[in-house]
Amino acid sequence: MGAFAARRLAALIITMMVVSMLIFAAFEWTPGQVASKMLGPFATPEQVELLTEQMGLNRPAPVRYIEWVGNVLKGDLGYSTYFKTDVNNIIWDRLGNTLLLASIAFAIIVPCSIIFGVAAGMREGSKLDRTISVLSIVTTSVPEFASGVFLATIFVIILEWLPGASTLESGGDWSIASQLVLPVAVMVLFDLGYVVRMVRAAMVDVMMKPYIRTAVLKGLGFRKVVLGHALRNAMVVSLTVILLQINYLVAGVVVVETIFAYPGFGHMILESALSKDTATVEAATLIIVLIVVITQIAGDLGYMWLNPRIRFK
Amino acid sequence: MSSPATLRKTAAVTVAAKPILELRDVKISYITRAGRIDVVPALSFSLAKGEALGLVGESGCGKSTVAYAIMKYLGGAGRITNGQILFNGQDMASMSEDQLRQIRGSKLAMVYQDPMSSLNPTMRIGRQLEEVPMLHMKVGREEARQRAIRFLGEVNLPDPELIMERYPHQLSGGQQQRVVIAMALMAEPDLLVMDEPTTGLDVTVEAAVLDLVAQLRHKHDTAIIFISHNLGTVLRVCDRVGVMYFGELVEEGPIKEVFANPRHPYTRGLLDSIPTMGADKHSRRLSPIAGQVPSALARPVGCGFASRCSFCEPATCTTVPIPTIAIPGEARHQAKCVRLSELPPHRRFQVVPGEATAEIAKSGETVLGIDHLYKIYRPSGTIFDSKPAEVRALTDIELSAERGRTLAIVGESGCGKSSLAKVLTGIEVATQGKVKLIDWEIGHVPVEKRNQAQKKSIQMVFQNPDSTLNPSHTVGFAIRRALQRLRGISASQAKTQAAELLRLVNLPMEFVNRRPRQLSGGQKQRVAIARALAGDPALIIADEPVSALDVSVQAAIINLLIDLQDKRDATLVFISHDLSVVRFLADHVAVMYLGRVVEYGTVEQVYAPPYHPYTEALLSAAPVAEVGKERERIILEGTIPSATKQIPGCPFASRCPRKIGSICDDQPPPEHVTQQGHRIACHIPLGDLAKLNTRAAE
Ligand SMILES: Nc1ncnc2c1ncn2[C@@H]1O[C@H](COP(=O)(O)OP(=O)(O)OP(=O)(O)O)[C@@H](O)[C@H]1O
Ligand code: SF4
Ligand code: SF4
Ligand SMILES: [Mg+2]
């Protein structure tokens, strides 16, 4: 297991190196582009050249890449041309906001998906199964903006129970907690159905296995069969899918953040990308890739822990 | 004519004690899209305390259905639609879920065919065992643990405490099955239902498990229902046997009487399909049962076996329901056949000593020559293990096969049989040594580099025809394509030749338009053989070609192979674990152990003393379906060592019952070669081996 962790760590470092090169190549390979991106479409060629010169952008790409990597490693993520401040001043707050949203949603999705998925899959074709399956298909197929608008209409406009914008500003009429309700609800509604269906499929599969028959014919009650014998085996299969949701929750929530004007990470990337704020986009991309790679490692370790076939060869 | 009701009465008189289990006119149906299928129409039998009843019959005749009906676990589609199953006198249909749970696992337990998949892969063996006493005997964890350890010891598992900590995948197949048996016995049940408990295990492991079952049965006085398609294994465990055909018990009685004097034509057919001990292809052909089990959707009025029975007389056999008739003078022996009294007496084929077996004339011409062949797999590193040990699959193999002859290769799983086939066919290449096919050196030539003539000369037939026949191609297309590819002939020529090949493998012409799913297992195997014959190969390699088939079908395929060999003069390499089939079919036999040939010779030489100690154990383990021919069994302890180990001495030393001392561990055994070419690799001199063998046989 130690050797495994070490190898995965090495893979992580290599992945990050390759990704950083790709990011750099995509955004900064041709120096003129950077300057013209920054100056916008109406800049004269002379202005572009001057800026290129000032920023040291006409030096060879490898040199600039190494300099960039060095800066990133020192913790200097560059200057955001859009937010007009150091990237560091803005990015961590935004990441924190998004992680707050994501972790609340994740904390709801994980237990709910397991409970509903197992309840549906333990008796395939039962009423409970059919109800849960239909509901999960319906909720997943409604796009986030539609459910966002729908929920906002009910709870904000008609009932006036919740705020329409979640800007996370305290001191107003709405508490921070109340501001989080709708964004979390939309994310959970959209994602939960998918995970439930995956867990259900795994559970249905496990319930047909011969070892479940063994457990039943031992005389165990249905509850013990499900909780004691089926659950863990179903989790071995579902774990990866569940952990992959972290990626969606962190990187894929730009729609939700935009609907509710939530000062989050996805919204920040969107804004900075639209205004060609290279430094912010680069840093944000690096962070997202890092999160993806780390969840994958966590997934592998969890799989090993749940699955004795790998743990004990 | 006696109705089932009168029969029951007679049965009740003869069964002294109150039966543990009684089935009364049980009808079992599956609800399918095609409608209700009455798989078992009306089954009655009873089982007394401590009795062991074997259920045999071809695949699909309802054995497992009966087993799961007794457990009341038929799945969503299965129903008991008529009759009663009485367990300890109580009708199981009237039991509540709770009552059922209380008897399952405690009074009524089951052992399954595939032990690996029957154990929970993510739970330690210990916990899976402890559950049983904790549930049924209401004892605490610690007491349950002690009991589990005791029962693991009782099923002869070494180091029970260690096994308790293991997960199922860390045990061998035989060990897993012992765990399942221990689990079933822990609450000392009154009835143990075993559905093919040894199918899929190696012969030596099977022998040990069967002995264990027989021994535990007497110790705990457990009644057993033992299901198997192998008549020999049933003979070892049971005192009564029921022969099932098409959902009905066509014959039932004391096992020795049924096997020695079978009455029903189906029972006779089953027994005639398997090679008798000592018989070979020169003395007779096997007699397969013609046809196959009809569809249960349209059950005929009369005898279900009529369509396949050579004694059938339509007027009496197919017009009215057939009664079960008690056989006069034999207590509790009965058969379901109206012509019972008119049938001629049955005699199983017996080899008359001295008269049989024409000496095989040496054909002289060597088609396949294997010379000091080694195959070492060097697995590439994985993320969990960067330097896995190399696997020595084949070590110093020296074999040859002559034109028109059959070379059989026997041994337990993992002994290298299939690796050898892979090197011959070019799926793998030799690590060292030579393989000569006719005039070519092919050991180092992978299949994609072999030329047309080489590819054509060597063809393969596999155990499972499903894996090699493309389900979307018709039979005709598969054979024609092979013909065109291997012979380079035109489409119209291929068409006539394909018809020719179908005739050769005894398949009707209209099969050209069928797809594999429309064929039975035996028919699929015939198609696979026809396709292998397309290139008119000099060498056919058959890897367990009959082991997935029913005995009746197996007999037909074996006969087919013999005929083809006569007609085509092809050489056959026949890989098998079934020693009686090998005895019947082979000319030469190589016994492999751990990647080495430990004994080689003609079939007469290998099946008579002196034996290599391993061959001796294998032969003693092979189940024999003949009363009075059972041998004293040599039980091999332990498992085959890992092929990754370097073994300085004899590969068999860790399990050899005849081991003579440390010399076996330290020095490779010499190979004794007789003048007739019989080779045995052992430290014991041939003369001593022969003496040991004959003494053991007495
Ligand atoms: N769930 C099911 N639905 C419909 N038909 C079924 C079902 N299970 C089994 N059958 C049919 O019932 C018949 C008896 O099957 P069963 O499995 O009891 O045979 P078996 O004697 O155990 O065969 P084998 O030796 O192959 O295990 C077969 O015709 C089979 O196709
Ligand atoms: S009843 Fe007739 S068809 Fe059936 S087994 Fe007897 S002889 Fe054959
Ligand atoms: S050499 Fe020794 S261990 Fe090997 S088979 Fe002969 S007696 Fe047994
Ligand atoms: Mg079966």
Side-chain angles (χ1 to χ4, degrees):
Chain A
M1 193 112 165
F4 169 78
R7 242 189 310 272
R8 289 315 301 253
L9 205 66
L12 181 141
I13 291 168
I14 293 169
T15 312
M16 291 313 293
M17 268 166 63
V18 172
V19 166
S20 66
M21 280 179 208
L22 289 177
I23 291 172
F24 187 81
F27 292 114
E28 301 204 25
W29 194 260
T30 35
Q33 265 179 11
V34 178
S36 63
K37 269 186 205 159
M38 284 171 67
L39 291 170
F42 305 111
T44 63
E46 290 76 34
Q47 286 171 308
V48 171
E49 206 161 304
L50 189 68
L51 185 64
T52 309
E53 189 89 12
Q54 277 171 0
M55 293 175 70
L57 289 175
N58 46 5
R59 290 170 303 148
V63 176
R64 284 182 297 122
Y65 169 71
I66 288 167
E67 188 182 272
W68 176 64
V69 170
N71 285 341
V72 169
L73 288 179
K74 268 184 281 169
D76 175 7
L77 298 177
Y79 182 79
S80 162
T81 51
Y82 175 73
F83 296 100
K84 304 279 186 284
T85 172
D86 276 352
V87 174
N88 269 327
N89 292 342
I90 182 97
I91 201 164
W92 302 114
D93 279 353
R94 294 302 193 93
L95 183 63
N97 291 345
T98 289
L99 286 180
L100 175 69
L101 209 53
S103 43
I104 298 174
F106 194 64
I108 297 173
I109 288 172
V110 172
C112 289
S113 63
I114 294 176
I115 290 171
F116 291 132
V118 167
M122 66 188 186
R123 281 206 179 93
E124 194 189 4
S126 64
K127 268 208 190 88
L128 187 64
D129 178 23
R130 287 200 301 262
T131 316
I132 292 176
S133 296
V134 168
L135 280 180
S136 20
I137 292 178
V138 170
T139 53
T140 335
S141 46
V142 177
E144 292 150 294
F145 67 84
S147 56
V149 170
F150 176 73
L151 290 181
T153 313
I154 294 180
F155 292 101
V156 179
I157 300 177
I158 300 177
L159 298 172
E160 295 187 18
W161 287 355
L162 294 165
S166 310
T167 50
L168 291 190
E169 272 149 26
S170 45
D173 294 339
W174 301 100
S175 66
I176 299 283
S178 69
Q179 294 184 29
L180 291 174
V181 175
L182 279 181
V184 167
V186 172
M187 287 161 75
V188 169
L189 217 51
F190 182 69
D191 198 38
L192 182 62
Y194 170 73
V195 191
V196 166
R197 267 160 48 219
M198 295 318 237
V199 175
R200 175 195 173 271
M203 190 67 189
V204 166
D205 189 51
V206 166
M207 288 306 283
M208 286 190 297
K209 289 280 161 63
Y211 54 79
I212 295 299
R213 180 185 64 196
T214 310
V216 172
L217 294 186
K218 252 180 199 177
L220 289 174
F222 190 70
R223 236 180 85 92
K224 280 192 180 155
V225 172
V226 169
L227 297 180
H229 285 263
L231 186 62
R232 184 172 181 149
N233 287 293
M235 283 304 102
V236 171
V237 186
S238 317
L239 180 81
T240 327
V241 175
I242 292 180
L243 282 176
L244 277 180
Q245 301 319 306
I246 297 178
N247 298 339
Y248 157 74
L249 293 174
V250 173
V253 288
V254 62
V255 178
V256 175
E257 290 180 353
T258 309
I259 298 172
F260 296 101
Y262 187 84
F265 201 62
H267 196 49
M268 176 199 76
I269 296 176
L270 186 69
E271 284 173 314
S272 44
L274 288 176
S275 54
K276 309 205 167 71
D277 179 359
T278 321
T280 313
V281 175
E282 280 171 351
T285 316
L286 270 184
I287 291 174
I288 286 176
V289 173
L290 191 65
I291 292 175
V292 169
V293 176
I294 288 175
T295 41
Q296 234 153 42
I297 294 178
D300 287 349
L301 289 174
Y303 186 75
M304 282 174 73
W305 177 69
L306 282 174
N307 190 350
R309 269 168 190 274
I310 298 186
R311 208 165 12 132
F312 305 93
K313 278 224 295 180
Chain B
M1 258 191 259
S2 53
S3 70
T6 53
L7 255 179
R8 245 183 350 260
K9 242 176 267 155
T10 49
V13 176
T14 38
V15 180
K18 193 182 79 174
I20 289 286
L21 180 76
E22 193 178 351
L23 274 74
R24 292 186 184 160
D25 290 330
V26 173
K27 179 174 194 164
I28 310 168
S29 317
Y30 286 110
I31 317 294
T32 67
R33 262 179 291 163
R36 200 179 92 173
I37 306 175
D38 299 333
V39 171
V40 173
L43 191 71
S44 305
F45 66 82
S46 70
L47 194 66
K49 191 167 170 51
E51 227 180 354
L53 171 74
L55 285 181
V56 297
E58 283 166 292
S59 169
C61 64
K63 306 181 298 285
S64 302
T65 302
V66 171
Y68 286 104
I70 294 168
M71 302 302 294
K72 220 172 169 216
Y73 191 80
L74 280 169
R79 308 275 142 78
I80 295 173
T81 39
N82 191 27
Q84 289 174 306
I85 298 180
L86 303 176
F87 182 72
N88 273 331
Q90 201 191 350
D91 184 359
M92 290 187 72
S94 69
M95 288 185 196
S96 67
E97 268 301 309
D98 260 346
Q99 282 175 305
L100 206 59
R101 248 200 320 270
Q102 275 165 23
I103 62 165
R104 277 182 184 158
S106 65
K107 302 242 174 301
L108 175 61
M110 184 150 182
V111 173
Y112 316 85
Q113 170 164 354
D114 180 7
M116 176 70 193
S117 61
S118 304
L119 290 168
N120 187 338
T122 59
M123 205 188 253
R124 287 179 202 276
I125 299 293
R127 279 216 33 217
Q128 303 194 39
L129 288 170
E130 287 159 9
E131 273 183 342
V132 177
M134 283 166 74
L135 187 69
H136 293 296
M137 308 170 87
K138 305 278 173 278
V139 300
R141 191 52 169 285
E142 188 46 41
E143 206 175 317
R145 194 182 129 77
Q146 290 313 323
R147 192 169 174 86
I149 290 173
R150 205 185 94 208
F151 272 81
L152 286 178
E154 200 147 300
V155 295
N156 300 336
L157 280 169
D159 302 323
E161 264 136 60
L162 266 173
I163 303 265
M164 293 281 283
E165 296 305 312
R166 297 268 176 87
Y167 285 94
H169 72 276
Q170 296 172 298
L171 305 179
S172 71
Q175 289 174 321
Q176 287 165 354
Q177 195 59 298
R178 281 165 209 249
V179 168
V180 175
I181 293 175
M183 195 187 284
L185 286 177
M186 253 205 291
E188 312 216 358
D190 297 329
L191 175 63
L192 190 59
V193 178
M194 310 183 96
D195 188 7
E196 309 259 5
T198 58
T199 310
L201 301 180
D202 272 321
V203 246
T204 54
V205 182
E206 171 176 60
V209 170
L210 290 177
D211 275 9
L212 174 73
V213 171
Q215 172 202 333
L216 291 173
R217 176 193 150 203
H218 291 296
K219 182 162 173 199
H220 299 278
D221 207 17
T222 316
I224 292 181
I225 292 203
F226 187 95
I227 293 174
S228 178
H229 65 275
N230 185 325
L231 303 169
T233 57
V234 180
L235 183 57
R236 254 186 213 175
V237 175
C238 302
D239 17 51
R240 278 168 64 211
V241 68
V243 181
M244 282 194 77
Y245 182 76
F246 204 21
E248 298 178 307
L249 215 46
V250 294
E251 180 161 2
E252 201 228 312
I255 197 160
K256 293 202 168 138
E257 283 172 35
V258 174
F259 276 27
N261 195 359
R263 299 303 173 93
H264 196 279
Y266 180 63
T267 316
R268 296 181 172 190
L270 284 183
L271 286 166
D272 287 340
S273 300
I274 47 179
T276 41
M277 220 39 194
D280 64 27
K281 60 183 171 186
H282 305 289
S283 45
R284 67 143 185 169
R285 286 285 189 273
L286 298 173
S287 332
I289 306 172
Q292 48 190 303
V293 190
S295 156
L297 270 172
R299 195 171 275 282
V301 196
C303 176
F305 189 55
S307 60
R308 304 172 72 185
C309 179
S310 51
F311 299 104
C312 175
E313 243 178 33
T316 40
C317 297
T318 62
T319 49
V320 285
I322 308 294
T324 301
I325 299 170
I327 287 156
E330 287 181 47
R332 301 183 70 198
H333 186 175
Q334 55 195 32
K336 201 177 170 72
C337 170
V338 271
R339 303 200 55 214
L340 210 54
S341 53
E342 303 156 44
L343 297 181
H346 179 257
R347 224 173 55 94
R348 285 189 78 182
F349 180 86
Q350 296 295 342
V351 185
V352 186
E355 174 196 294
T357 60
E359 189 54 40
I360 336 157
K362 243 189 170 325
S363 80
E365 188 188 343
T366 303
V367 171
L368 176 72
I370 300 172
D371 192 15
H372 296 294
L373 176 69
Y374 287 80
K375 175 69 201 172
I376 297 167
Y377 293 104
R378 296 201 174 83
S380 49
T382 64
I383 45 168
F384 302 111
D385 189 357
S386 55
K387 263 193 241 128
E390 8 176 86
V391 179
R392 316 183 134 258
L394 298 172
T395 305
D396 202 9
I397 303 288
E398 183 107 43
L399 287 173
S400 65
E402 291 165 14
R403 177 169 301 284
R405 300 274 180 265
T406 300
L407 167 67
I409 299 180
V410 298
E412 288 168 288
S413 70
C415 73
K417 296 177 299 211
S418 295
S419 292
L420 182 60
K422 281 185 189 155
V423 173
L424 296 183
T425 46
I427 298 168
E428 295 282 348
V429 289
T431 309
Q432 202 182 311
K434 291 200 189 104
V435 177
K436 203 171 151 210
L437 176 71
I438 313 174
D439 294 322
W440 306 292
E441 165 50 47
I442 56 165
H444 299 273
V445 192
V447 65
E448 60 274 10
K449 295 226 177 92
R450 292 192 180 174
N451 66 34
Q452 197 64 14
Q454 290 168 342
K455 275 190 218 162
K456 206 178 103 168
S457 305
I458 197 162
Q459 286 296 317
M460 181 123 193
V461 177
F462 295 92
Q463 171 170 3
N464 183 359
D466 283 317
S467 59
T468 46
L469 295 177
N470 185 331
S472 58
H473 290 165
T474 62
V475 167
F477 181 82
I479 299 177
R480 283 199 302 276
R481 201 172 59 162
L483 278 164
Q484 284 175 292
R485 202 167 35 106
L486 291 171
R487 294 239 198 109
I489 55 180
S490 74
S492 64
Q493 272 175 309
K495 209 166 171 178
T496 44
Q497 297 255 4
E500 182 68 27
L501 282 173
L502 275 184
R503 188 159 45 240
L504 198 65
V505 296
N506 300 330
L507 284 177
M509 224 32 77
E510 60 267 24
F511 273 41
V512 285
N513 293 320
R514 293 231 190 149
R515 287 173 211 283
R517 69 182 146 77
Q518 297 167 301
L519 305 179
S520 73
Q523 289 167 339
K524 277 184 250 186
Q525 198 58 293
R526 281 169 201 268
V527 174
I529 292 173
R531 202 178 49 170
L533 289 171
D536 202 3
L539 182 69
I540 301 173
I541 299 162
D543 191 351
E544 302 268 11
V546 295
S547 45
L549 305 174
D550 274 316
V551 282
S552 60
V553 186
Q554 176 178 319
I557 298 284
I558 290 169
N559 283 349
L560 174 68
L561 288 172
I562 297 170
D563 289 339
L564 289 176
Q565 206 169 25
D566 284 352
K567 281 187 210 153
R568 296 261 176 144
D569 219 17
T571 306
L572 183 63
V573 172
F574 185 83
I575 299 173
S576 177
H577 68 275
D578 187 332
L579 289 148
S580 50
V581 167
V582 165
R583 172 75 184 91
F584 185 78
L585 182 65
D587 298 297
H588 288 90
V589 181
V591 181
M592 286 184 67
Y593 189 82
L594 210 61
R596 273 161 264 220
V597 174
V598 295
E599 177 165 1
Y600 170 80
T602 65
V603 73
E604 289 80 15
Q605 288 167 343
V606 173
Y607 280 73
Y611 307 114
H612 185 277
Y614 178 60
T615 315
E616 189 186 16
L618 273 186
L619 282 171
S620 81
V624 181
E626 280 170 87
V627 179
K629 293 277 175 70
E630 305 97 325
R631 299 178 179 227
E632 183 62 35
R633 274 178 302 287
I634 300 167
I635 297 300
L636 294 184
E637 293 305 331
T639 47
I640 307 185
S642 152
T644 52
K645 263 200 215 137
Q646 283 272 15
I647 295 170
C650 171
F652 190 47
S654 63
R655 297 167 80 199
C656 180
R658 303 226 177 272
K659 185 173 167 184
I660 50 176
S662 61
I663 183 173
C664 294
D665 292 316
D666 306 334
Q667 287 176 34
E671 190 171 66
H672 311 292
V673 188
T674 66
Q675 275 176 340
Q676 292 77 34
H678 186 194
R679 296 173 0 213
I680 293 182
C682 179
H683 281 297
I684 305 176
L686 284 185
D688 293 358
L689 269 178
K691 263 184 247 157
L692 283 170
N693 300 147
T694 41
R695 203 176 309 141
E698 272 156 19

